[in-house]
Amino acid sequence: MIITNFSKQRNEFKESKVLKAKPHWQGQNLNDTAVKGKDTKMPDPAPDSSIFNSFNRGRVAIFIDGLSLFHTALQLGIEIDYVKLLCRLTNGSRLLRAFFYTGVELSNEKQQGFLLWMRRNGYRVVAKELVMAAENFKKSNLNVEIAVDMITLAPYYDTAVLVSGDGDLAYAVNAVSRMGVRVEVVSLQTTTSESLIDVADCFIDLDSIKAHIQKDSHLGYSYRTPSNSNL
């Protein structure tokens, strides 16, 4: 397993360390391809390059914090294309599950239609009803559900892709890492907890891949709602 130190300004490799024992996915070792000469500088990655291409990732499980991703998309000024997102995060690897965790309002038909579409397009939706918080707005925290799923499914996947910047998930990430799982954290670097980045095997800034996951402006989803669905 390879642990990468990340620059605070740019999402690129600076150096790599190899743990004593490799997990069974046996990914490519960056030390095999790195240039050792002191005067030789590694070239910058191409604009469309991705850390996802650097390893034999084995079987992949994806865990998406829906609320975190929603706020990130607002900050980036984009609308997420969830088909593109799933393809980008999987990137040809064998997919075990793609979980999407979100709070819901049962009376919101538009949201229910969106979640129905997600279920029909490759995602396993884990929903929790929103509750009124002390600050007089509704919220829902699904960190416990994310952590439990990551840990209980760890024997069945080789690489976890966590789309969240919440530092409360760092302990769960560390736990599955000790089980031999490679963990990739995907989020916006400016809003991601340092504690989460520190325990991940690699970090991918969503800002660097937004062109590959945003919805085309001339396309839209056709979401069914409970009132217009025939099923």
Side-chain angles (χ1 to χ4, degrees):
M1 184 178 292
I2 299 170
I3 299 178
T4 303
N5 294 326
F6 301 94
S7 167
K8 301 300 181 184
Q9 279 71 40
R10 303 184 63 186
N11 181 29
E12 62 181 6
F13 289 110
K14 290 298 182 183
E15 61 180 358
S16 61
K17 298 185 292 182
V18 181
L19 297 180
K20 292 181 179 179
K22 279 189 172 182
H24 57 280
W25 50 266
Q26 289 292 319
Q28 178 187 1
N29 191 335
L30 289 182
N31 288 336
D32 295 337
T33 57
V35 179
K36 297 182 179 179
K38 294 183 179 179
D39 298 329
T40 305
K41 182 180 180 181
M42 292 183 66
D44 290 333
D48 62 345
S49 65
S50 170
I51 189 68
F52 301 125
N53 294 317
S54 300
F55 300 93
N56 175 10
R57 300 158 78 210
R59 181 169 289 187
V60 172
I62 299 171
F63 306 88
I64 301 173
D65 182 338
L67 184 60
S68 174
L69 182 59
F70 173 76
H71 287 299
T72 296
L74 287 179
Q75 293 187 56
L76 293 175
I78 65 173
E79 190 172 357
I80 301 293
D81 184 318
Y82 287 93
V83 173
K84 289 183 179 180
L85 177 66
L86 185 57
C87 291
R88 189 67 180 177
L89 298 181
T90 307
N91 201 44
S93 300
R94 296 176 61 196
L95 179 63
L96 174 67
R97 287 281 191 280
F99 291 95
F100 183 82
Y101 302 85
T102 185
V104 296
E105 288 186 284
L106 299 180
S107 60
N108 187 333
E109 284 206 351
K110 183 177 179 181
Q111 184 185 46
Q112 294 300 316
F114 166 70
L115 296 180
L116 176 62
W117 183 93
M118 292 287 280
R119 293 186 181 99
R120 302 275 177 87
N121 287 271
Y123 290 91
R124 182 68 60 91
V125 175
V126 179
K128 179 189 287 186
E129 189 172 0
L130 293 168
V131 295
M132 187 66 69
E135 298 84 357
N136 201 30
F137 68 93
K138 292 184 177 181
K139 68 177 183 178
S140 182
N141 188 320
L142 284 97
N143 283 345
V144 171
E145 288 79 358
I146 295 174
V148 169
D149 287 343
M150 287 184 70
I151 293 171
T152 56
L153 288 174
Y156 306 102
Y157 63 84
D158 306 291
T159 298
V161 181
L162 174 63
V163 183
S164 177
D166 196 333
D168 289 341
L169 291 168
Y171 191 85
V173 168
N174 203 33
V176 297
S177 294
R178 291 196 299 267
M179 299 171 70
V181 171
R182 169 182 166 79
V183 183
E184 302 168 355
V185 171
V186 183
S187 188
L188 189 63
Q189 185 166 357
T190 56
T191 59
T192 301
S193 168
E194 291 289 334
S195 63
L196 187 59
I197 296 177
D198 289 343
V199 295
D201 292 289
C202 74
F203 174 79
I204 299 94
D205 191 345
L206 270 171
D207 188 37
S208 69
I209 62 171
K210 65 179 182 180
H212 303 282
I213 63 172
Q214 64 182 349
K215 188 187 296 184
D216 296 328
S217 58
H218 63 283
L219 297 178
Y221 293 125
S222 179
Y223 298 137
R224 290 182 178 183
T225 63
S227 61
N228 65 19
S229 176
N230 293 323
L231 299 179

